[in-house]
């Protein structure tokens, strides 16, 4: 049996106590409605309505408003059920967040304010509930609903507008009846503070012990290391040679910079 998606909308409002009909002590009421994709939820004073309002002022019509779920936009809409009244009767308007509704059908969302006559209803929440044989598997806001592609392993979860199209990541078909609430992503490991990160110590190839089972690689590393050392020694010797040569050239020059290397040394006059 496939999982079933039930769309739930919760309304809350205040009205007079039905037992005492005392308007001085209003009661707060709340009602959660479950709707499939074709059911119309009715609101009014009529006892046969899905949401019955106790309106002493009779400003609310018997069957005043209807709520339904639109599967294409994944949202609830409200309809004025008095809009088709014939004269001399006049439609009884609905106000949604200050906007007058007679012929139009407006979408509603959590925290929407719906005014019927003198009564104001608030949309407390709208949720999608995934059930299997009546048992709730998961629930979440309508924004959490996704469609998944037909790839068997690790399917991709996409926005509902991808229904009937190909997955942009793997090319698999996105089934139109695959609305789900994706599973939560696995928790990521906490990052280690920078103060606790140990710096990496890089070892030179000569400091590493030869690896067993790879004598060719070990010999090659040693040869490369010896070649580097030889180049370093040669560069040091060359630098030392040129330094001594420079000092020697300075020794055979007079204070004016003239070359006196060919001049004979003064005779030794010591007795």
């Amino acid at each position: 049996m496939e999982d079933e998606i039930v769309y739930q909308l919760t309304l809350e409002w205040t009205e007079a106590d039905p037992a005492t009909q005392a308007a001085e002590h209003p009661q707060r009421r709340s009602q959660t409605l479950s709707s499939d994709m074709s059911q119309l939820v009715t609101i009014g004073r009529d006892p046969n309505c899905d949401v019955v309002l106790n309106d002493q002022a009779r400003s609310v019509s018997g069957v005043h408003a209807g709520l339904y779920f639109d599967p294409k936009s994944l949202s609830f809409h409200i309809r004025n059920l008095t809009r088709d009244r014939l004269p001399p009767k006049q439609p009884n308007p609905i106000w949604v967040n200050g906007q007058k509704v007679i012929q139009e059908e407006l979408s509603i969302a959590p925290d929407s304010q719906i005014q019927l006559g003198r009564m104001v209803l608030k949309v407390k929440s709208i949720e999608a509930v995934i059930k299997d044989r009546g048992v709730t598997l998961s629930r979440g806001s309508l924004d959490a609903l996704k469609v998944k592609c037909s790839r068997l392993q690790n399917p991709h979860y996409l926005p509902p507008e991808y229904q009937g199209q190909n997955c942009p990541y793997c090319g698999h078909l996105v089934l139109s009846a695959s609305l789900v609430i994706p599973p939560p992503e696995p928790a990521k490991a906490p990052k280690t503070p920078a103060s606790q990160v140990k710096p990496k110590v890089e070892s030179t190839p000569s400091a590493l012990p030869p690896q067993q089972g790879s004598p060719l690689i070990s010999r090659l590393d040693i040869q490369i290391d010896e070649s580097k050392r030889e180049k370093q020694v040669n560069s040091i010797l060359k630098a030392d040679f040129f330094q001594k040569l420079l000092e020697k050239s300075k020794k055979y020059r007079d204070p004016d910079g003239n070359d006196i290397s060919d001049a004979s040394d003064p005779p030794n006059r010591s007795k």
Side-chain angles (χ1 to χ4, degrees):
M1 183 177 178
E2 295 183 355
D3 296 342
E4 177 189 8
I5 302 180
V6 178
Y7 304 96
Q8 292 185 345
L9 181 146
T10 301
L11 295 172
E12 61 180 11
W13 68 97
T14 57
E15 65 180 15
D17 187 353
T20 61
Q21 298 295 329
E24 295 81 6
H25 303 285
Q27 283 191 341
R28 180 178 294 276
R29 295 192 56 189
S30 177
Q31 186 171 344
T32 299
L33 310 167
S34 297
S35 173
D36 58 22
M37 293 189 179
S38 60
Q39 180 182 0
L40 183 68
V41 178
T42 56
I43 306 174
R45 290 186 297 104
D46 193 301
N48 294 322
C49 288
D50 299 299
V51 179
V52 180
L53 302 179
N54 181 25
D55 178 27
Q56 291 181 320
R58 299 179 67 85
S59 61
V60 178
S61 299
V63 183
H64 198 149
L67 301 176
Y68 66 93
F69 184 79
D70 181 14
K72 293 183 179 180
S73 61
L74 289 181
S75 59
F76 276 91
H77 292 251
I78 189 168
R79 178 186 301 165
N80 191 333
L81 299 181
T82 69
R83 63 185 181 181
D84 296 329
R85 284 181 175 177
L86 298 176
K89 292 184 178 181
Q90 296 294 326
N92 195 353
I94 298 173
W95 299 86
V96 178
N97 298 329
Q99 184 174 350
K100 189 175 182 180
V101 178
I102 295 181
Q103 298 296 332
E104 303 85 353
E105 296 183 2
L106 296 183
S107 62
I108 57 175
D111 296 328
S112 290
Q113 301 282 343
I114 303 173
Q115 182 176 350
L116 306 178
R118 298 181 181 178
M119 301 193 67
V120 178
L121 297 84
K122 179 182 177 181
V123 180
K124 184 178 181 181
S125 65
I126 297 177
E127 291 183 316
V129 182
I130 309 296
K131 292 187 176 183
D132 181 12
R133 298 181 178 88
V135 178
T136 299
L137 300 179
S138 59
R139 66 172 60 238
S141 64
L142 297 186
D143 294 338
L145 279 176
K146 304 292 182 183
V147 290
K148 64 179 181 179
C149 67
S150 55
R151 191 169 74 165
L152 296 180
Q153 294 183 350
N154 300 322
H156 296 104
Y157 295 93
L158 305 166
E161 54 264 26
Y162 280 91
Q163 296 183 61
Q165 302 181 22
N166 292 96
C167 177
Y169 301 105
C170 63
H172 285 73
L173 183 65
V174 180
L175 302 178
S176 58
S178 60
L179 278 173
V180 294
I181 298 177
E185 296 182 358
K188 296 182 179 179
K191 294 184 178 180
T192 305
S195 58
Q196 300 180 7
V197 176
K198 296 182 178 180
K200 295 183 178 179
V201 180
E202 297 183 357
S203 302
T204 59
S206 59
L208 296 176
Q211 299 179 4
Q212 297 181 359
S214 58
L216 180 62
I217 297 178
S218 300
R219 289 193 205 127
L220 184 61
D221 291 340
I222 294 173
Q223 291 176 1
I224 294 174
D225 187 54
E226 290 179 352
S227 176
K228 289 181 179 179
R229 288 182 182 178
E230 185 177 355
K231 289 181 179 179
Q232 292 177 355
V233 171
N234 290 338
S235 63
I236 293 173
L237 291 177
K238 287 181 180 180
D240 185 56
F241 171 76
F242 284 109
Q243 181 67 26
K244 289 182 179 180
L245 185 62
L246 180 61
E247 291 177 357
K248 188 176 181 180
S249 65
K250 291 181 180 180
K251 182 179 180 181
Y252 292 101
R253 292 182 181 273
D254 59 12
D256 297 331
N258 299 320
D259 188 3
I260 58 173
S261 58
D262 294 336
S264 58
D265 294 336
N268 188 3
R269 298 181 179 180
S270 63
K271 293 181 179 180

